[in-house]
Amino acid sequence: MTKKELIFLGPPACGKGTQTDKLAQFLNFPHVDTGSLLRAEIKNETPEGKFAKTFIDKGELVPADLVAKIIKNRLLQDDCKNGFILDGYPRSVEQADILEEIKKEINKGTEEDFRAIYFDIDTNILVERIVNRRSCPVCGEIYNLEFKPPKVEGHCDKDGAELTQRKDDTREVAQARFDTYFKETAPLIDYYKSKGVLRTINANGTIDEVWERLLEVIK
Ligand code: AMP
C-alpha cells in the first residue's frame, strides 16, 4: 500500500488548521501539527517547552533540531504508518531537508505519495483573522469572532468550555510571524515546485469552498 504523506504550506491563519483537521478525520490519518505539539510541551512545562516558548512568544521559529526531534518521535508512531498530514512542518528549507532524512530513515523502501499543498491566500485579511481567533482548550475547535462565532459567546459549541486566545495571536506577534513566514517558509513553495510535488489551492473563500478545492488536489 502506498503511504500518503501530505504536508501543508501557507501563511499564519490561512485556514490550514481547520482544513487539515477535517481532512485527517476524512482520511483517517493523524493530524500532526507542530504548533500544537509545541504548545503541549509548554503546557506540560517540559524543558523543551520552556525553551520553545521564548521563540514562540516572539513569533520566531523554534530551532530546527528541537522540532525535528518532536516530529520524528511523532512520525514513528504506529498510527502514521499508512499516511500522515503535516501541518506547520516543514517551515524552512533547512526543515524540509531534515524531513527528507527523517522519511528516509522511517520509510525504508515503503512506496510514498508525497505532496505539498500550498494555501494561496490574500494575506491582507489575515492579521484581522488572527486577532479574532479563539480556540477551545479542551477539544481544540477553532472559532473566529467575526466569521465563525460560537453559538454562546465565549464558550465552545461542542463541550461548553471557556474559549481562550493564543498568547501569540496578538497584533504585534502576528506581524512578526508573517515576517518569519515570508523570510523562512515562503521559499518552500519554489523548493517543492522544483521537485514536482507542489499543489496550489485558492484558499480565499468559505471553509466549504476551500474544502471542495482541497478534495480535488488530494485525489
Ligand atoms: P502555529 O500554531 O503553526 O501558528 O505555530 C505557532 C508557533 O510555533 C510558530 O510561530 C513558531 O514559533 C512555532 N512553530 C510551529 N511549527 C514550527 C516549526 N515547524 N518550526 C519552528 N517553529 C515552529
Side-chain angles (χ1 to χ4, degrees):
M1 196 176 132
T2 306
K3 180 171 178 182
K4 211 172 182 102
E5 301 169 331
L6 301 170
I7 69 153
F8 287 80
L9 300 173
C14 66
K16 283 191 310 344
T18 303
Q19 298 291 342
T20 49
D21 203 27
K22 204 169 148 133
L23 189 64
Q25 289 175 37
F26 181 74
L27 295 174
N28 200 20
F29 287 159
H31 175 208
V32 181
D33 160 14
T34 42
S36 297
L37 291 172
L38 290 165
R39 282 188 289 278
E41 297 283 340
I42 294 175
K43 203 170 164 207
N44 295 332
E45 296 182 357
T46 64
E48 287 83 359
K50 284 182 189 151
F51 180 65
K53 188 174 184 302
T54 58
F55 298 90
I56 294 176
D57 285 352
K58 287 186 284 190
E60 293 171 6
L61 291 188
V62 173
D65 51 351
L66 171 57
V67 190
K69 197 172 125 199
I70 293 175
I71 275 289
K72 189 175 170 190
N73 285 338
R74 185 65 191 86
L75 297 184
L76 273 169
Q77 286 172 28
D78 206 48
D79 62 344
C80 291
K81 77 173 186 294
N82 295 329
F84 55 75
I85 289 168
L86 266 188
D87 172 8
Y89 191 86
R91 242 170 158 112
S92 63
V93 170
E94 180 189 13
Q95 292 186 6
D97 289 336
I98 293 173
L99 178 63
E100 288 299 313
E101 292 306 312
I102 293 177
K103 289 199 307 103
K104 253 186 230 155
E105 241 180 280
I106 293 179
N107 287 336
K108 293 196 190 88
T110 308
E111 200 180 314
E112 301 165 57
D113 175 3
F114 180 94
R115 293 179 213 180
I117 299 165
Y118 165 50
F119 276 42
D120 188 8
I121 192 164
D122 175 4
T123 52
N124 292 326
I125 60 157
L126 296 183
V127 172
E128 290 313 308
R129 198 186 263 191
I130 287 180
V131 295
N132 280 317
R133 182 157 68 177
R134 300 289 183 276
S135 61
C136 174
V138 177
C139 70
E141 185 72 7
I142 301 163
Y143 295 89
N144 183 286
L145 299 184
E146 205 172 319
F147 308 108
K148 189 191 163 196
K151 292 194 181 82
V152 177
E153 198 186 319
H155 292 271
C156 180
D157 294 351
K158 291 189 173 165
D159 51 39
E162 200 169 329
L163 300 180
T164 52
Q165 182 175 28
R166 274 171 47 173
K167 206 167 162 266
D168 60 347
D169 273 353
T170 59
R171 208 169 280 279
E172 197 191 1
V173 182
Q175 199 50 60
R177 285 158 62 204
F178 278 101
D179 295 345
T180 304
Y181 169 78
F182 286 114
K183 185 162 164 257
E184 310 265 5
T185 312
L188 287 177
I189 300 165
D190 281 339
Y191 175 97
Y192 286 120
K193 197 184 274 176
S194 69
K195 289 182 184 285
V197 294
L198 190 81
R199 306 283 182 277
T200 299
I201 64 170
N202 172 4
N204 297 289
T206 65
I207 292 175
D208 289 345
E209 284 164 351
V210 178
W211 173 245
E212 291 304 320
R213 296 176 198 140
L214 179 56
L215 290 180
E216 284 303 307
V217 298
I218 58 138
K219 270 183 192 159

